[in-house]
Amino acid sequence: EVQLVESGGGLVQPGGSLTLSCAASGFVFSSDWMTWVRQAPGRGLEWVANIKQDGSKIYYMDSVEGRFTLFRDNAKNSLYLLMNSLRAEDTAVYYCARDHDYKIDYWGQGTLVTVSS
Amino acid sequence: QSALTQPPSASGSPGQSVTISCTGSSSDIGSSNYVSWYQQHPGKAPKVIIYEVTKRTSGVPDRFFGSKSGNTASLTVSGLQGEDEADYYCSSYVAHNTYVFGTGTKVTVV
């Protein structure tokens, strides 16, 4: 059974930093692109970033480019999202998900990031 | 990349059908064979129900039907049931392995 478990969310002040982690199991982690999708409270889904199987290609949405860094550790079956210079508009539930054959087919339960003073 | 446009809400009685539209552009839906639909119940993670425009994920009943014409994709749910009450999001693969989601539609079974 595919499982994705996020951790690392919490309350952070504007301008602060936070690192999200995602532990994957139940599939060959190193064989798939992985992605983060976020959802602000009461709002829709927003694709944030994704990373190729070997980490050689990474893509970000425009508003997080230069502030967020996505990386993975295939030996640990883990995905990470380092978030710097956080803004109020980054407040959201962040979902770790598998990006398989051009569809996002498995999702974690999400971790809430709140940016507020 | 701007979000794809969906109606905020749709409703139908049990047994009726409802169709949700998802309008994009020639840069996303119009040029992509990789349009997906996601169902999200309150407090839960989204679940993919349709992928590659028309294909149903394993276990999804054939009451769910996906289609596309030009820059607009559609999801039709026939024979509405109470469990279909949820938020629905479309998504399109765009260039450079990125995705864009729709604004979301809340389906109510009245």
Side-chain angles (χ1 to χ4, degrees), chain A residues 27-39:
Chain A
F27 66 104
V28 182
F29 181 73
S30 58
S31 295
D32 278 301
W33 283 75
M34 295 296 295
T35 194
W36 288 93
V37 176
R38 70 185 183 184
Q39 186 170 33

Side-chain angles (χ1 to χ4, degrees), chain A residues 19-67:
Chain A
T19 299
L20 306 183
S21 301
C22 172
S25 61
F27 66 104
V28 182
F29 181 73
S30 58
S31 295
D32 278 301
W33 283 75
M34 295 296 295
T35 194
W36 288 93
V37 176
R38 70 185 183 184
Q39 186 170 33
R43 305 292 295 274
L45 301 173
E46 188 173 48
W47 178 85
V48 176
N50 63 2
I51 184 168
K52 192 178 177 181
Q53 291 91 332
D54 62 359
S56 62
K57 291 186 178 181
I58 305 169
Y59 300 99
Y60 300 94
M61 63 181 297
D62 289 347
S63 65
V64 308
E65 181 90 53
R67 298 188 299 123

Side-chain angles (χ1 to χ4, degrees), chain A residues 33 35 37 39 43-48 50 59-62 95 99-110, chain B residues 1 34-36 38 40 43-48 51-52 57 87 89 91 93 96-104:
Chain A
W33 283 75
T35 194
V37 176
Q39 186 170 33
R43 305 292 295 274
L45 301 173
E46 188 173 48
W47 178 85
V48 176
N50 63 2
Y59 300 99
Y60 300 94
M61 63 181 297
D62 289 347
Y95 293 102
D99 185 348
H100 184 81
D101 288 345
Y102 306 103
K103 66 183 180 294
I104 300 172
D105 63 350
Y106 285 98
W107 302 62
Q109 283 307 298
Chain B
Q1 183 72 44
Y34 302 111
V35 176
S36 302
Y38 299 85
Q40 185 181 34
K44 300 293 188 182
K47 180 179 80 166
V48 60
Y51 63 100
E52 292 180 26
T57 302
D87 293 327
Y89 295 91
S91 173
Y93 174 86
H96 305 302
N97 231 71
T98 61
Y99 296 84
V100 60
F101 283 96
T103 49

Side-chain angles (χ1 to χ4, degrees), chain B residues 38-110:
Chain B
Y38 299 85
Q39 179 190 61
Q40 185 181 34
H41 287 107
K44 300 293 188 182
K47 180 179 80 166
V48 60
I49 56 173
I50 298 287
Y51 63 100
E52 292 180 26
V53 182
T54 62
K55 296 179 180 179
R56 278 184 299 276
T57 302
S58 176
V60 173
D62 58 7
R63 303 184 293 102
F64 291 85
F65 177 78
S67 62
K68 189 185 89 163
S69 177
N71 297 337
T72 298
S74 298
L75 174 70
T76 297
V77 186
S78 59
L80 269 174
Q81 299 181 6
E83 68 209 45
D84 301 332
E85 191 161 287
D87 293 327
Y88 292 83
Y89 295 91
C90 60
S91 173
S92 175
Y93 174 86
V94 293
H96 305 302
N97 231 71
T98 61
Y99 296 84
V100 60
F101 283 96
T103 49
T105 299
K106 182 178 183 62
V107 170
T108 303
V109 182
V110 298

Side-chain angles (χ1 to χ4, degrees), chain A residues 86-116:
Chain A
L86 283 161
R87 307 166 180 167
E89 54 265 36
D90 295 318
T91 293
V93 173
Y94 284 73
Y95 293 102
C96 165
R98 187 176 81 162
D99 185 348
H100 184 81
D101 288 345
Y102 306 103
K103 66 183 180 294
I104 300 172
D105 63 350
Y106 285 98
W107 302 62
Q109 283 307 298
T111 187
L112 176 62
V113 173
T114 304
V115 184
S116 175

